[in-house]
Amino acid sequence: QVQLTESGGGTVQAGGSLRLSCAASGSTFSDYVVGWFRQAPGKERELLAARYAGATSTYVADSVKGRFAISRDNRLNTASLQMNSLKPEDTAVYYCAAKFRGSSDYKYWGQGTQVTVSS
């Protein structure tokens, strides 16, 4: 199994940028798909981006395409979410998650980090 710890959240003005980081430990990181999710109050959790185990295939949700980018470094056991042109509606708790390659569900989750975008 893998343990995940997010960092990098905070408060930023609309139009600004933040970079979230996810540190993984406990297992071979390259065996896992890494995803970034968010959940705003009263809304369902949303998958924003995922980077597959081979680190060559990437998914980005239409809602953030062109503004958010996911990356990972299997040597350092880290993943990042670069968020640009932030909007107040991006305010949410952001989570890093992982699933073993071939699995359907994300089984491992970080504790979440708050992102607040002020207008």
PDB file of all heavy atoms in Angstrom, residues 48-90:
ATOM      1  N   LEU A  48      -9.937  15.603 -11.225  1.00  0.00           N
ATOM      2  CA  LEU A  48      -9.409  16.694 -12.039  1.00  0.00           C
ATOM      3  C   LEU A  48      -8.376  16.218 -13.046  1.00  0.00           C
ATOM      4  O   LEU A  48      -8.355  16.682 -14.193  1.00  0.00           O
ATOM      5  CB  LEU A  48      -8.768  17.744 -11.131  1.00  0.00           C
ATOM      6  CG  LEU A  48      -9.663  18.357 -10.078  1.00  0.00           C
ATOM      7  CD1 LEU A  48      -8.836  19.252  -9.157  1.00  0.00           C
ATOM      8  CD2 LEU A  48     -10.788  19.132 -10.722  1.00  0.00           C
ATOM      9  N   ALA A  49      -7.487  15.352 -12.600  1.00  0.00           N
ATOM     10  CA  ALA A  49      -6.395  14.924 -13.460  1.00  0.00           C
ATOM     11  C   ALA A  49      -5.816  13.626 -12.927  1.00  0.00           C
ATOM     12  O   ALA A  49      -5.894  13.349 -11.732  1.00  0.00           O
ATOM     13  CB  ALA A  49      -5.306  15.993 -13.512  1.00  0.00           C
ATOM     14  N   ALA A  50      -5.257  12.842 -13.827  1.00  0.00           N
ATOM     15  CA  ALA A  50      -4.610  11.587 -13.434  1.00  0.00           C
ATOM     16  C   ALA A  50      -3.403  11.360 -14.316  1.00  0.00           C
ATOM     17  O   ALA A  50      -3.394  11.731 -15.499  1.00  0.00           O
ATOM     18  CB  ALA A  50      -5.576  10.420 -13.546  1.00  0.00           C
ATOM     19  N   ARG A  51      -2.404  10.771 -13.712  1.00  0.00           N
ATOM     20  CA  ARG A  51      -1.185  10.434 -14.447  1.00  0.00           C
ATOM     21  C   ARG A  51      -0.959   8.953 -14.243  1.00  0.00           C
ATOM     22  O   ARG A  51      -0.860   8.483 -13.124  1.00  0.00           O
ATOM     23  CB  ARG A  51       0.003  11.242 -13.902  1.00  0.00           C
ATOM     24  CG  ARG A  51       1.252  11.168 -14.731  1.00  0.00           C
ATOM     25  CD  ARG A  51       1.158  12.042 -15.967  1.00  0.00           C
ATOM     26  NE  ARG A  51       2.358  11.960 -16.766  1.00  0.00           N
ATOM     27  CZ  ARG A  51       3.085  12.994 -17.135  1.00  0.00           C
ATOM     28  NH1 ARG A  51       2.716  14.214 -16.773  1.00  0.00           N
ATOM     29  NH2 ARG A  51       4.155  12.830 -17.859  1.00  0.00           N
ATOM     30  N   TYR A  52      -0.853   8.214 -15.340  1.00  0.00           N
ATOM     31  CA  TYR A  52      -0.838   6.775 -15.261  1.00  0.00           C
ATOM     32  C   TYR A  52       0.524   6.240 -14.884  1.00  0.00           C
ATOM     33  O   TYR A  52       1.518   6.963 -14.870  1.00  0.00           O
ATOM     34  CB  TYR A  52      -1.419   6.187 -16.540  1.00  0.00           C
ATOM     35  CG  TYR A  52      -2.871   6.570 -16.637  1.00  0.00           C
ATOM     36  CD1 TYR A  52      -3.265   7.709 -17.338  1.00  0.00           C
ATOM     37  CD2 TYR A  52      -3.842   5.852 -15.954  1.00  0.00           C
ATOM     38  CE1 TYR A  52      -4.592   8.101 -17.376  1.00  0.00           C
ATOM     39  CE2 TYR A  52      -5.167   6.238 -15.984  1.00  0.00           C
ATOM     40  CZ  TYR A  52      -5.532   7.353 -16.694  1.00  0.00           C
ATOM     41  OH  TYR A  52      -6.848   7.747 -16.718  1.00  0.00           O
ATOM     42  N   ALA A  53       0.551   4.953 -14.567  1.00  0.00           N
ATOM     43  CA  ALA A  53       1.719   4.375 -13.918  1.00  0.00           C
ATOM     44  C   ALA A  53       2.971   4.524 -14.760  1.00  0.00           C
ATOM     45  O   ALA A  53       4.053   4.712 -14.230  1.00  0.00           O
ATOM     46  CB  ALA A  53       1.457   2.910 -13.569  1.00  0.00           C
ATOM     47  N   GLY A  54       2.816   4.440 -16.074  1.00  0.00           N
ATOM     48  CA  GLY A  54       3.978   4.581 -16.932  1.00  0.00           C
ATOM     49  C   GLY A  54       4.414   6.010 -17.106  1.00  0.00           C
ATOM     50  O   GLY A  54       5.402   6.281 -17.768  1.00  0.00           O
ATOM     51  N   ALA A  55       3.630   6.948 -16.512  1.00  0.00           N
ATOM     52  CA  ALA A  55       3.953   8.377 -16.521  1.00  0.00           C
ATOM     53  C   ALA A  55       3.953   8.970 -17.917  1.00  0.00           C
ATOM     54  O   ALA A  55       4.487  10.042 -18.139  1.00  0.00           O
ATOM     55  CB  ALA A  55       5.288   8.659 -15.827  1.00  0.00           C
ATOM     56  N   THR A  56       3.367   8.279 -18.870  1.00  0.00           N
ATOM     57  CA  THR A  56       3.300   8.831 -20.222  1.00  0.00           C
ATOM     58  C   THR A  56       1.891   9.179 -20.638  1.00  0.00           C
ATOM     59  O   THR A  56       1.698   9.893 -21.618  1.00  0.00           O
ATOM     60  CB  THR A  56       3.879   7.841 -21.242  1.00  0.00           C
ATOM     61  OG1 THR A  56       3.148   6.610 -21.156  1.00  0.00           O
ATOM     62  CG2 THR A  56       5.352   7.573 -20.967  1.00  0.00           C
ATOM     63  N   SER A  57       0.917   8.672 -19.927  1.00  0.00           N
ATOM     64  CA  SER A  57      -0.477   8.909 -20.284  1.00  0.00           C
ATOM     65  C   SER A  57      -1.128   9.756 -19.202  1.00  0.00           C
ATOM     66  O   SER A  57      -0.975   9.481 -18.018  1.00  0.00           O
ATOM     67  CB  SER A  57      -1.214   7.573 -20.433  1.00  0.00           C
ATOM     68  OG  SER A  57      -2.555   7.793 -20.801  1.00  0.00           O
ATOM     69  N   THR A  58      -1.878  10.783 -19.630  1.00  0.00           N
ATOM     70  CA  THR A  58      -2.454  11.740 -18.697  1.00  0.00           C
ATOM     71  C   THR A  58      -3.907  12.000 -19.029  1.00  0.00           C
ATOM     72  O   THR A  58      -4.282  12.048 -20.203  1.00  0.00           O
ATOM     73  CB  THR A  58      -1.678  13.072 -18.772  1.00  0.00           C
ATOM     74  OG1 THR A  58      -0.314  12.847 -18.470  1.00  0.00           O
ATOM     75  CG2 THR A  58      -2.242  14.098 -17.798  1.00  0.00           C
ATOM     76  N   TYR A  59      -4.711  12.157 -17.974  1.00  0.00           N
ATOM     77  CA  TYR A  59      -6.103  12.572 -18.124  1.00  0.00           C
ATOM     78  C   TYR A  59      -6.270  13.920 -17.434  1.00  0.00           C
ATOM     79  O   TYR A  59      -5.747  14.124 -16.328  1.00  0.00           O
ATOM     80  CB  TYR A  59      -7.043  11.546 -17.469  1.00  0.00           C
ATOM     81  CG  TYR A  59      -8.426  12.094 -17.221  1.00  0.00           C
ATOM     82  CD1 TYR A  59      -9.373  12.111 -18.235  1.00  0.00           C
ATOM     83  CD2 TYR A  59      -8.776  12.618 -15.978  1.00  0.00           C
ATOM     84  CE1 TYR A  59     -10.634  12.639 -18.018  1.00  0.00           C
ATOM     85  CE2 TYR A  59     -10.034  13.149 -15.746  1.00  0.00           C
ATOM     86  CZ  TYR A  59     -10.958  13.147 -16.780  1.00  0.00           C
ATOM     87  OH  TYR A  59     -12.205  13.671 -16.562  1.00  0.00           O
ATOM     88  N   VAL A  60      -6.977  14.836 -18.070  1.00  0.00           N
ATOM     89  CA  VAL A  60      -7.322  16.125 -17.457  1.00  0.00           C
ATOM     90  C   VAL A  60      -8.791  16.393 -17.735  1.00  0.00           C
ATOM     91  O   VAL A  60      -9.234  16.292 -18.886  1.00  0.00           O
ATOM     92  CB  VAL A  60      -6.455  17.266 -18.007  1.00  0.00           C
ATOM     93  CG1 VAL A  60      -6.838  18.587 -17.332  1.00  0.00           C
ATOM     94  CG2 VAL A  60      -4.979  16.984 -17.792  1.00  0.00           C
ATOM     95  N   ALA A  61      -9.544  16.722 -16.706  1.00  0.00           N
ATOM     96  CA  ALA A  61     -10.978  16.990 -16.864  1.00  0.00           C
ATOM     97  C   ALA A  61     -11.202  18.241 -17.705  1.00  0.00           C
ATOM     98  O   ALA A  61     -10.419  19.202 -17.643  1.00  0.00           O
ATOM     99  CB  ALA A  61     -11.617  17.166 -15.489  1.00  0.00           C
ATOM    100  N   ASP A  62     -12.267  18.236 -18.441  1.00  0.00           N
ATOM    101  CA  ASP A  62     -12.590  19.389 -19.291  1.00  0.00           C
ATOM    102  C   ASP A  62     -12.743  20.660 -18.474  1.00  0.00           C
ATOM    103  O   ASP A  62     -12.416  21.749 -18.956  1.00  0.00           O
ATOM    104  CB  ASP A  62     -13.881  19.115 -20.058  1.00  0.00           C
ATOM    105  CG  ASP A  62     -13.706  18.104 -21.164  1.00  0.00           C
ATOM    106  OD1 ASP A  62     -12.539  17.848 -21.567  1.00  0.00           O
ATOM    107  OD2 ASP A  62     -14.717  17.560 -21.635  1.00  0.00           O
ATOM    108  N   SER A  63     -13.210  20.511 -17.240  1.00  0.00           N
ATOM    109  CA  SER A  63     -13.465  21.693 -16.414  1.00  0.00           C
ATOM    110  C   SER A  63     -12.204  22.469 -16.061  1.00  0.00           C
ATOM    111  O   SER A  63     -12.277  23.651 -15.716  1.00  0.00           O
ATOM    112  CB  SER A  63     -14.192  21.279 -15.129  1.00  0.00           C
ATOM    113  OG  SER A  63     -13.408  20.351 -14.395  1.00  0.00           O
ATOM    114  N   VAL A  64     -11.049  21.816 -16.138  1.00  0.00           N
ATOM    115  CA  VAL A  64      -9.798  22.489 -15.783  1.00  0.00           C
ATOM    116  C   VAL A  64      -8.759  22.414 -16.888  1.00  0.00           C
ATOM    117  O   VAL A  64      -7.622  22.886 -16.715  1.00  0.00           O
ATOM    118  CB  VAL A  64      -9.212  21.924 -14.470  1.00  0.00           C
ATOM    119  CG1 VAL A  64     -10.190  22.123 -13.315  1.00  0.00           C
ATOM    120  CG2 VAL A  64      -8.847  20.447 -14.637  1.00  0.00           C
ATOM    121  N   LYS A  65      -9.126  21.845 -18.010  1.00  0.00           N
ATOM    122  CA  LYS A  65      -8.175  21.684 -19.113  1.00  0.00           C
ATOM    123  C   LYS A  65      -7.685  23.054 -19.571  1.00  0.00           C
ATOM    124  O   LYS A  65      -8.464  23.995 -19.719  1.00  0.00           O
ATOM    125  CB  LYS A  65      -8.834  20.932 -20.262  1.00  0.00           C
ATOM    126  CG  LYS A  65      -7.877  20.418 -21.313  1.00  0.00           C
ATOM    127  CD  LYS A  65      -8.579  19.445 -22.258  1.00  0.00           C
ATOM    128  CE  LYS A  65      -8.916  18.149 -21.565  1.00  0.00           C
ATOM    129  NZ  LYS A  65      -9.539  17.152 -22.472  1.00  0.00           N
ATOM    130  N   GLY A  66      -6.383  23.139 -19.773  1.00  0.00           N
ATOM    131  CA  GLY A  66      -5.789  24.401 -20.184  1.00  0.00           C
ATOM    132  C   GLY A  66      -5.356  25.270 -19.011  1.00  0.00           C
ATOM    133  O   GLY A  66      -4.624  26.241 -19.203  1.00  0.00           O
ATOM    134  N   ARG A  67      -5.811  24.933 -17.808  1.00  0.00           N
ATOM    135  CA  ARG A  67      -5.440  25.699 -16.614  1.00  0.00           C
ATOM    136  C   ARG A  67      -4.649  24.860 -15.614  1.00  0.00           C
ATOM    137  O   ARG A  67      -3.759  25.381 -14.940  1.00  0.00           O
ATOM    138  CB  ARG A  67      -6.688  26.246 -15.918  1.00  0.00           C
ATOM    139  CG  ARG A  67      -7.489  27.213 -16.764  1.00  0.00           C
ATOM    140  CD  ARG A  67      -8.556  27.920 -15.937  1.00  0.00           C
ATOM    141  NE  ARG A  67      -9.505  27.000 -15.322  1.00  0.00           N
ATOM    142  CZ  ARG A  67      -9.743  26.929 -14.012  1.00  0.00           C
ATOM    143  NH1 ARG A  67      -9.096  27.719 -13.165  1.00  0.00           N
ATOM    144  NH2 ARG A  67     -10.644  26.083 -13.551  1.00  0.00           N
ATOM    145  N   PHE A  68      -4.991  23.576 -15.496  1.00  0.00           N
ATOM    146  CA  PHE A  68      -4.340  22.683 -14.539  1.00  0.00           C
ATOM    147  C   PHE A  68      -3.479  21.669 -15.292  1.00  0.00           C
ATOM    148  O   PHE A  68      -3.855  21.210 -16.378  1.00  0.00           O
ATOM    149  CB  PHE A  68      -5.363  21.926 -13.714  1.00  0.00           C
ATOM    150  CG  PHE A  68      -6.156  22.757 -12.727  1.00  0.00           C
ATOM    151  CD1 PHE A  68      -6.141  24.145 -12.763  1.00  0.00           C
ATOM    152  CD2 PHE A  68      -6.913  22.134 -11.755  1.00  0.00           C
ATOM    153  CE1 PHE A  68      -6.864  24.899 -11.864  1.00  0.00           C
ATOM    154  CE2 PHE A  68      -7.658  22.868 -10.840  1.00  0.00           C
ATOM    155  CZ  PHE A  68      -7.637  24.247 -10.891  1.00  0.00           C
ATOM    156  N   ALA A  69      -2.374  21.287 -14.678  1.00  0.00           N
ATOM    157  CA  ALA A  69      -1.506  20.274 -15.257  1.00  0.00           C
ATOM    158  C   ALA A  69      -0.972  19.368 -14.153  1.00  0.00           C
ATOM    159  O   ALA A  69      -0.562  19.853 -13.096  1.00  0.00           O
ATOM    160  CB  ALA A  69      -0.345  20.923 -16.006  1.00  0.00           C
ATOM    161  N   ILE A  70      -0.966  18.071 -14.427  1.00  0.00           N
ATOM    162  CA  ILE A  70      -0.470  17.087 -13.467  1.00  0.00           C
ATOM    163  C   ILE A  70       0.900  16.600 -13.912  1.00  0.00           C
ATOM    164  O   ILE A  70       1.161  16.460 -15.111  1.00  0.00           O
ATOM    165  CB  ILE A  70      -1.454  15.900 -13.328  1.00  0.00           C
ATOM    166  CG1 ILE A  70      -1.015  14.955 -12.220  1.00  0.00           C
ATOM    167  CG2 ILE A  70      -1.633  15.171 -14.658  1.00  0.00           C
ATOM    168  CD1 ILE A  70      -2.038  13.863 -11.909  1.00  0.00           C
ATOM    169  N   SER A  71       1.741  16.351 -12.955  1.00  0.00           N
ATOM    170  CA  SER A  71       3.051  15.767 -13.248  1.00  0.00           C
ATOM    171  C   SER A  71       3.406  14.802 -12.126  1.00  0.00           C
ATOM    172  O   SER A  71       2.788  14.826 -11.058  1.00  0.00           O
ATOM    173  CB  SER A  71       4.116  16.859 -13.372  1.00  0.00           C
ATOM    174  OG  SER A  71       4.219  17.595 -12.165  1.00  0.00           O
ATOM    175  N   ARG A  72       4.374  13.962 -12.396  1.00  0.00           N
ATOM    176  CA  ARG A  72       4.852  13.040 -11.370  1.00  0.00           C
ATOM    177  C   ARG A  72       6.322  12.754 -11.599  1.00  0.00           C
ATOM    178  O   ARG A  72       6.825  12.861 -12.725  1.00  0.00           O
ATOM    179  CB  ARG A  72       4.043  11.735 -11.364  1.00  0.00           C
ATOM    180  CG  ARG A  72       4.203  10.867 -12.596  1.00  0.00           C
ATOM    181  CD  ARG A  72       3.264   9.663 -12.544  1.00  0.00           C
ATOM    182  NE  ARG A  72       3.641   8.710 -11.521  1.00  0.00           N
ATOM    183  CZ  ARG A  72       2.864   7.674 -11.165  1.00  0.00           C
ATOM    184  NH1 ARG A  72       1.687   7.488 -11.742  1.00  0.00           N
ATOM    185  NH2 ARG A  72       3.256   6.829 -10.221  1.00  0.00           N
ATOM    186  N   ASP A  73       6.974  12.406 -10.526  1.00  0.00           N
ATOM    187  CA  ASP A  73       8.392  12.019 -10.583  1.00  0.00           C
ATOM    188  C   ASP A  73       8.512  10.711  -9.813  1.00  0.00           C
ATOM    189  O   ASP A  73       8.487  10.707  -8.582  1.00  0.00           O
ATOM    190  CB  ASP A  73       9.273  13.118  -9.979  1.00  0.00           C
ATOM    191  CG  ASP A  73      10.746  12.833 -10.192  1.00  0.00           C
ATOM    192  OD1 ASP A  73      11.142  11.642 -10.238  1.00  0.00           O
ATOM    193  OD2 ASP A  73      11.514  13.801 -10.289  1.00  0.00           O
ATOM    194  N   ASN A  74       8.623   9.613 -10.541  1.00  0.00           N
ATOM    195  CA  ASN A  74       8.666   8.298  -9.890  1.00  0.00           C
ATOM    196  C   ASN A  74       9.953   8.080  -9.105  1.00  0.00           C
ATOM    197  O   ASN A  74       9.987   7.252  -8.195  1.00  0.00           O
ATOM    198  CB  ASN A  74       8.486   7.197 -10.924  1.00  0.00           C
ATOM    199  CG  ASN A  74       7.069   7.155 -11.471  1.00  0.00           C
ATOM    200  OD1 ASN A  74       6.117   7.569 -10.806  1.00  0.00           O
ATOM    201  ND2 ASN A  74       6.925   6.666 -12.687  1.00  0.00           N
ATOM    202  N   ARG A  75      11.009   8.805  -9.458  1.00  0.00           N
ATOM    203  CA  ARG A  75      12.253   8.649  -8.703  1.00  0.00           C
ATOM    204  C   ARG A  75      12.121   9.284  -7.320  1.00  0.00           C
ATOM    205  O   ARG A  75      12.668   8.786  -6.331  1.00  0.00           O
ATOM    206  CB  ARG A  75      13.416   9.288  -9.447  1.00  0.00           C
ATOM    207  CG  ARG A  75      13.730   8.649 -10.788  1.00  0.00           C
ATOM    208  CD  ARG A  75      14.725   9.493 -11.544  1.00  0.00           C
ATOM    209  NE  ARG A  75      14.203  10.843 -11.748  1.00  0.00           N
ATOM    210  CZ  ARG A  75      14.929  11.872 -12.128  1.00  0.00           C
ATOM    211  NH1 ARG A  75      16.218  11.730 -12.359  1.00  0.00           N
ATOM    212  NH2 ARG A  75      14.377  13.060 -12.294  1.00  0.00           N
ATOM    213  N   LEU A  76      11.405  10.405  -7.260  1.00  0.00           N
ATOM    214  CA  LEU A  76      11.246  11.121  -5.998  1.00  0.00           C
ATOM    215  C   LEU A  76       9.967  10.739  -5.272  1.00  0.00           C
ATOM    216  O   LEU A  76       9.705  11.227  -4.176  1.00  0.00           O
ATOM    217  CB  LEU A  76      11.257  12.634  -6.250  1.00  0.00           C
ATOM    218  CG  LEU A  76      12.534  13.198  -6.835  1.00  0.00           C
ATOM    219  CD1 LEU A  76      12.388  14.696  -7.075  1.00  0.00           C
ATOM    220  CD2 LEU A  76      13.732  12.935  -5.936  1.00  0.00           C
ATOM    221  N   ASN A  77       9.141   9.884  -5.890  1.00  0.00           N
ATOM    222  CA  ASN A  77       7.859   9.471  -5.302  1.00  0.00           C
ATOM    223  C   ASN A  77       6.960  10.672  -5.026  1.00  0.00           C
ATOM    224  O   ASN A  77       6.380  10.805  -3.932  1.00  0.00           O
ATOM    225  CB  ASN A  77       8.073   8.673  -4.010  1.00  0.00           C
ATOM    226  CG  ASN A  77       8.644   7.300  -4.267  1.00  0.00           C
ATOM    227  OD1 ASN A  77       8.755   6.872  -5.409  1.00  0.00           O
ATOM    228  ND2 ASN A  77       9.023   6.617  -3.203  1.00  0.00           N
ATOM    229  N   THR A  78       6.864  11.540  -5.999  1.00  0.00           N
ATOM    230  CA  THR A  78       6.027  12.725  -5.836  1.00  0.00           C
ATOM    231  C   THR A  78       5.135  12.926  -7.051  1.00  0.00           C
ATOM    232  O   THR A  78       5.419  12.448  -8.148  1.00  0.00           O
ATOM    233  CB  THR A  78       6.874  13.989  -5.641  1.00  0.00           C
ATOM    234  OG1 THR A  78       7.721  14.160  -6.787  1.00  0.00           O
ATOM    235  CG2 THR A  78       7.729  13.912  -4.386  1.00  0.00           C
ATOM    236  N   ALA A  79       4.057  13.645  -6.818  1.00  0.00           N
ATOM    237  CA  ALA A  79       3.172  14.095  -7.886  1.00  0.00           C
ATOM    238  C   ALA A  79       2.788  15.531  -7.581  1.00  0.00           C
ATOM    239  O   ALA A  79       2.795  15.949  -6.423  1.00  0.00           O
ATOM    240  CB  ALA A  79       1.940  13.215  -7.990  1.00  0.00           C
ATOM    241  N   SER A  80       2.473  16.285  -8.628  1.00  0.00           N
ATOM    242  CA  SER A  80       2.135  17.692  -8.448  1.00  0.00           C
ATOM    243  C   SER A  80       0.942  18.058  -9.308  1.00  0.00           C
ATOM    244  O   SER A  80       0.663  17.410 -10.325  1.00  0.00           O
ATOM    245  CB  SER A  80       3.326  18.582  -8.843  1.00  0.00           C
ATOM    246  OG  SER A  80       4.428  18.343  -8.005  1.00  0.00           O
ATOM    247  N   LEU A  81       0.256  19.095  -8.876  1.00  0.00           N
ATOM    248  CA  LEU A  81      -0.828  19.671  -9.662  1.00  0.00           C
ATOM    249  C   LEU A  81      -0.563  21.169  -9.763  1.00  0.00           C
ATOM    250  O   LEU A  81      -0.638  21.878  -8.753  1.00  0.00           O
ATOM    251  CB  LEU A  81      -2.189  19.414  -9.019  1.00  0.00           C
ATOM    252  CG  LEU A  81      -3.388  19.910  -9.833  1.00  0.00           C
ATOM    253  CD1 LEU A  81      -3.546  19.053 -11.093  1.00  0.00           C
ATOM    254  CD2 LEU A  81      -4.663  19.878  -9.002  1.00  0.00           C
ATOM    255  N   GLN A  82      -0.216  21.618 -10.955  1.00  0.00           N
ATOM    256  CA  GLN A  82      -0.002  23.037 -11.195  1.00  0.00           C
ATOM    257  C   GLN A  82      -1.328  23.654 -11.598  1.00  0.00           C
ATOM    258  O   GLN A  82      -1.945  23.198 -12.581  1.00  0.00           O
ATOM    259  CB  GLN A  82       1.037  23.247 -12.297  1.00  0.00           C
ATOM    260  CG  GLN A  82       1.286  24.693 -12.650  1.00  0.00           C
ATOM    261  CD  GLN A  82       1.934  25.466 -11.524  1.00  0.00           C
ATOM    262  OE1 GLN A  82       2.830  24.980 -10.854  1.00  0.00           O
ATOM    263  NE2 GLN A  82       1.468  26.691 -11.299  1.00  0.00           N
ATOM    264  N   MET A  83      -1.745  24.669 -10.869  1.00  0.00           N
ATOM    265  CA  MET A  83      -3.044  25.298 -11.123  1.00  0.00           C
ATOM    266  C   MET A  83      -2.832  26.759 -11.475  1.00  0.00           C
ATOM    267  O   MET A  83      -2.291  27.523 -10.666  1.00  0.00           O
ATOM    268  CB  MET A  83      -3.937  25.169  -9.880  1.00  0.00           C
ATOM    269  CG  MET A  83      -4.083  23.740  -9.397  1.00  0.00           C
ATOM    270  SD  MET A  83      -5.263  23.565  -8.049  1.00  0.00           S
ATOM    271  CE  MET A  83      -4.422  24.487  -6.747  1.00  0.00           C
ATOM    272  N   ASN A  84      -3.230  27.133 -12.658  1.00  0.00           N
ATOM    273  CA  ASN A  84      -3.077  28.496 -13.140  1.00  0.00           C
ATOM    274  C   ASN A  84      -4.442  29.122 -13.403  1.00  0.00           C
ATOM    275  O   ASN A  84      -5.447  28.414 -13.508  1.00  0.00           O
ATOM    276  CB  ASN A  84      -2.246  28.510 -14.415  1.00  0.00           C
ATOM    277  CG  ASN A  84      -0.848  27.948 -14.228  1.00  0.00           C
ATOM    278  OD1 ASN A  84      -0.230  28.135 -13.179  1.00  0.00           O
ATOM    279  ND2 ASN A  84      -0.356  27.252 -15.233  1.00  0.00           N
ATOM    280  N   SER A  85      -4.459  30.422 -13.518  1.00  0.00           N
ATOM    281  CA  SER A  85      -5.693  31.165 -13.831  1.00  0.00           C
ATOM    282  C   SER A  85      -6.835  30.727 -12.911  1.00  0.00           C
ATOM    283  O   SER A  85      -7.952  30.428 -13.361  1.00  0.00           O
ATOM    284  CB  SER A  85      -6.083  30.954 -15.299  1.00  0.00           C
ATOM    285  OG  SER A  85      -5.043  31.365 -16.157  1.00  0.00           O
ATOM    286  N   LEU A  86      -6.545  30.699 -11.632  1.00  0.00           N
ATOM    287  CA  LEU A  86      -7.526  30.198 -10.670  1.00  0.00           C
ATOM    288  C   LEU A  86      -8.742  31.104 -10.590  1.00  0.00           C
ATOM    289  O   LEU A  86      -8.640  32.338 -10.740  1.00  0.00           O
ATOM    290  CB  LEU A  86      -6.881  30.036  -9.298  1.00  0.00           C
ATOM    291  CG  LEU A  86      -5.972  28.797  -9.191  1.00  0.00           C
ATOM    292  CD1 LEU A  86      -5.028  28.927  -8.009  1.00  0.00           C
ATOM    293  CD2 LEU A  86      -6.818  27.546  -9.076  1.00  0.00           C
ATOM    294  N   LYS A  87      -9.880  30.462 -10.345  1.00  0.00           N
ATOM    295  CA  LYS A  87     -11.164  31.156 -10.266  1.00  0.00           C
ATOM    296  C   LYS A  87     -11.787  30.900  -8.889  1.00  0.00           C
ATOM    297  O   LYS A  87     -11.483  29.880  -8.267  1.00  0.00           O
ATOM    298  CB  LYS A  87     -12.118  30.632 -11.343  1.00  0.00           C
ATOM    299  CG  LYS A  87     -11.552  30.682 -12.757  1.00  0.00           C
ATOM    300  CD  LYS A  87     -12.488  30.002 -13.738  1.00  0.00           C
ATOM    301  CE  LYS A  87     -11.920  30.001 -15.137  1.00  0.00           C
ATOM    302  NZ  LYS A  87     -12.832  29.325 -16.101  1.00  0.00           N
ATOM    303  N   PRO A  88     -12.663  31.769  -8.432  1.00  0.00           N
ATOM    304  CA  PRO A  88     -13.316  31.519  -7.135  1.00  0.00           C
ATOM    305  C   PRO A  88     -14.006  30.161  -7.073  1.00  0.00           C
ATOM    306  O   PRO A  88     -14.035  29.530  -6.010  1.00  0.00           O
ATOM    307  CB  PRO A  88     -14.311  32.673  -7.036  1.00  0.00           C
ATOM    308  CG  PRO A  88     -13.671  33.788  -7.799  1.00  0.00           C
ATOM    309  CD  PRO A  88     -12.990  33.107  -8.960  1.00  0.00           C
ATOM    310  N   GLU A  89     -14.519  29.684  -8.193  1.00  0.00           N
ATOM    311  CA  GLU A  89     -15.181  28.382  -8.207  1.00  0.00           C
ATOM    312  C   GLU A  89     -14.217  27.209  -8.085  1.00  0.00           C
ATOM    313  O   GLU A  89     -14.647  26.062  -7.965  1.00  0.00           O
ATOM    314  CB  GLU A  89     -16.044  28.217  -9.460  1.00  0.00           C
ATOM    315  CG  GLU A  89     -15.331  28.505 -10.760  1.00  0.00           C
ATOM    316  CD  GLU A  89     -15.575  29.932 -11.245  1.00  0.00           C
ATOM    317  OE1 GLU A  89     -15.543  30.880 -10.426  1.00  0.00           O
ATOM    318  OE2 GLU A  89     -15.777  30.093 -12.473  1.00  0.00           O
ATOM    319  N   ASP A  90     -12.926  27.477  -8.099  1.00  0.00           N
ATOM    320  CA  ASP A  90     -11.935  26.431  -7.841  1.00  0.00           C
ATOM    321  C   ASP A  90     -11.737  26.201  -6.349  1.00  0.00           C
ATOM    322  O   ASP A  90     -11.016  25.281  -5.950  1.00  0.00           O
ATOM    323  CB  ASP A  90     -10.591  26.798  -8.464  1.00  0.00           C
ATOM    324  CG  ASP A  90     -10.627  26.820  -9.987  1.00  0.00           C
ATOM    325  OD1 ASP A  90     -11.260  25.925 -10.581  1.00  0.00           O
ATOM    326  OD2 ASP A  90     -10.020  27.733 -10.579  1.00  0.00           O
TER     327      ASP A  90
END
